[in-house]
Amino acid sequence: MKRPSGRKRPGASRLTRRGFGMLIAALACAVVAYRSGVSSLLYATGFLAVLPLGALLLVRMRRRRFEVARSFNPPVVSAGSPVAVDLSVRNLSAASSGPASWSDRTPWEPISVSSPTLPALAGTAPGLSKGPAGVLLRYIVRPPARGVFPVGPLEIAYGDPFGLAAGRGALGTVQQLSVVPAIVPLGEGGPSLLAGDGNAQLIQRRSSGNDDDLMTREYRSGDAMRRVHWRASARHGELMVRQEEQRTFPEARVLIDTRAAGYGEAWADLGGIETGEGAFEWSIRMLASVAEHLHGAGFLVQILETGDPHIAPLGDPSQGSGQDAEFLLSLATLRLTQTPLPASGGIHGDEKAEGVPGPIFAVLSEPEPATLRWISAQRRPHELGVAFVVGHRSATTFDTLAAHGWICVPVRESDDPALAWASISRFTAPAVVVK
């Protein structure tokens, strides 16, 4: 795909080098004709001047009307994965369009293109032109980072048949491509979480009474007769039916530090090789991988943030993959927050564990003291707490977390999340049992 050079104004037209050359030649002929008195050179002067100016007028006056429809395959892509962009272009003008070079405006260079040129397309006027009125163009890009990126409009560069003038046009609208963080399969090398063995735990809600009472409730209109529990009905003197079993899931929490103050000063001695921004990107990727791993293992996962909450919940594992998509899309737009810490109260004032009981995994770099105190307090006694500390240079974070019973895993932003997960056993006992 040939990209028109620069960022010229869409719809602009100009002379090419060949056109400018003909104007210069016309000027030279006029000078020679004036000095030598050879009047026949004036004919050449007029020809050389009129042709490029006429070509410029033709390019400027010939409007091109196209309908452009853009689609992404897949609609949502992971960072580092290829995505195909399909462009359906249809000529809406009465006259046929000439060939043109095209470029879809994106933040990245394409890695492959179906066709380098936009072919001539037939117009809408019957009998004036032949051939297809539309064409399908495709190119493939590989977004390197997460985010929501503008794609479009389609830009075309065209000219006259003699190459004396060139024009540009912008077609269609801008569409947003959502790039979510890449999920890394964590495998089986992490901690042994015996509270969640990969299957939903089936628990019946119990109150008082014998076994029949625990399994039944009163008959309600619409209940199937096959669910009637006859022995319990005889004892209660009314129809009783077997109540549906309620499923509950082992629960876990995943915490991420989203405060800008936690990703800055710790990186000053790295000489620009790694940055706080890169540490935050690694933290998001690890958060997504851990949350998806636990969710896929049957855990009800709760996400905790040190800043304002922006991450969509994963929800009940039995509800399918729809909530996974919402979760990942919310990570595509997650940014560091600059909001100040509350003076008192709130999550940083009380420093009490929030959310459901169960194992907790935290991803952070070097949080400020108030944030670190709150993170440390999120692990309850007898719970598994693992903190992935990215690019850390000071011992303060490790000492504070270790004093509250956390297992600290030091990592750098260039480390593989799967290896970081598998290395948990190096910093604790080979098997961690959650009670």
Side-chain angles (χ1 to χ4, degrees):
M1 176 173 56
K2 182 180 180 181
R3 290 181 175 271
S5 59
R7 287 298 185 195
K8 300 181 179 64
R9 179 174 59 88
S13 55
R14 58 181 177 82
L15 290 175
T16 62
R17 291 182 179 179
R18 183 180 300 176
F20 276 115
M22 293 189 69
L23 285 181
I24 295 173
L27 180 60
C29 286
V31 172
V32 172
Y34 175 77
R35 290 186 175 182
S36 64
V38 181
S39 59
S40 60
L41 288 177
L42 295 178
Y43 294 101
T45 301
F47 175 79
L48 293 174
V50 169
L51 193 59
L53 295 178
L56 181 62
L57 182 63
L58 175 65
V59 168
R60 179 167 295 183
M61 297 300 295
R62 187 177 182 181
R63 300 294 182 181
R64 285 166 167 76
R65 296 175 55 239
F66 292 93
E67 180 184 61
V68 179
R70 184 185 294 101
S71 62
F72 304 113
N73 185 23
V76 178
V77 63
S78 298
S81 299
V83 56
V85 184
D86 293 325
L87 295 162
S88 176
V89 183
R90 186 175 183 84
N91 184 19
L92 301 181
S93 302
S96 60
S97 66
S101 61
W102 64 275
S103 168
D104 204 22
R105 188 177 296 182
T106 67
W108 325 280
E109 289 292 330
I111 58 178
S112 68
V113 181
S114 61
S115 173
T117 60
L118 177 66
L121 301 177
T124 58
L128 295 182
S129 58
K130 297 181 180 180
V135 67
L136 180 64
L137 306 173
R138 164 175 284 199
Y139 65 96
I140 299 176
V141 292
R142 193 187 303 273
R146 67 175 183 91
V148 179
F149 301 96
V151 177
L154 177 67
E155 297 179 348
I156 61 171
Y158 50 89
D160 67 289
F162 301 104
L164 302 177
R168 293 170 55 84
L171 311 175
T173 59
V174 176
Q175 291 177 252
Q176 304 295 325
L177 173 62
S178 296
V179 183
V180 301
I183 302 297
V184 179
L186 299 184
E188 305 296 332
S192 174
L193 304 174
L194 300 186
D197 56 1
N199 298 315
Q201 296 179 344
L202 187 61
I203 298 178
Q204 292 180 345
R205 303 297 186 189
R206 302 199 172 196
S207 53
S208 58
N210 60 24
D211 290 341
D212 291 342
D213 293 331
L214 297 177
M215 298 164 51
T216 59
R217 58 168 174 80
E218 69 278 1
Y219 176 84
R220 299 169 187 167
S221 178
D223 287 337
M225 292 302 296
R226 57 184 171 80
R227 292 177 54 196
V228 173
H229 195 290
W230 297 108
R231 186 169 59 182
S233 299
R235 183 169 58 256
H236 287 273
E238 60 177 333
L239 284 179
M240 304 291 291
V241 297
R242 298 180 180 88
Q243 64 177 336
E244 295 177 348
E245 298 169 324
Q246 300 179 2
R247 293 184 179 272
T248 187
F249 296 87
E251 296 164 335
R253 292 167 292 160
V254 184
L255 184 153
I256 183 172
D257 183 16
T258 57
R259 304 193 58 79
Y263 299 89
E265 296 179 357
W267 303 87
D269 58 344
L270 295 182
I273 299 175
E274 297 184 354
T275 64
E277 182 180 356
F280 183 59
E281 294 301 319
W282 192 95
S283 299
I284 293 177
R285 191 181 183 195
M286 189 65 183
L287 164 76
S289 301
V290 172
E292 288 287 347
H293 178 77
L294 295 174
H295 193 246
F299 279 86
L300 182 62
V301 180
Q302 181 182 12
I303 306 298
L304 299 178
E305 303 171 60
T306 59
D308 297 332
H310 290 97
I311 303 177
L314 275 167
D316 194 313
S318 65
Q319 295 177 356
S321 59
Q323 292 190 345
D324 292 33
E326 292 294 328
F327 166 71
L328 292 175
L329 285 173
S330 67
L331 292 181
T333 58
L334 186 63
R335 295 292 181 265
L336 289 169
T337 178
Q338 299 282 354
T339 54
L341 290 171
S344 61
I347 62 173
H348 296 282
D350 296 336
E351 286 145 9
K352 295 179 181 178
E354 293 188 355
V356 298
I360 180 171
F361 300 87
V363 192
L364 60 145
S365 179
E366 189 171 6
E368 52 194 342
T371 306
L372 180 59
R373 288 195 300 270
W374 179 77
I375 294 175
S376 301
Q378 296 314 299
R379 176 193 172 272
R380 300 181 180 92
H382 309 298
E383 286 182 345
L384 169 66
V386 178
F388 298 96
V389 186
V390 191
H392 191 66
R393 296 301 192 194
S394 170
T396 304
T397 300
F398 283 105
D399 293 342
T400 303
L401 291 172
H404 287 78
W406 287 79
I407 301 167
C408 296
V409 180
V411 295
R412 296 178 68 90
E413 63 181 68
S414 57
D415 290 343
D416 185 350
L419 295 179
W421 176 261
S423 67
I424 295 176
S425 59
R426 294 173 49 193
F427 301 93
T428 183
V432 178
V433 179
V434 181
K435 298 182 179 180

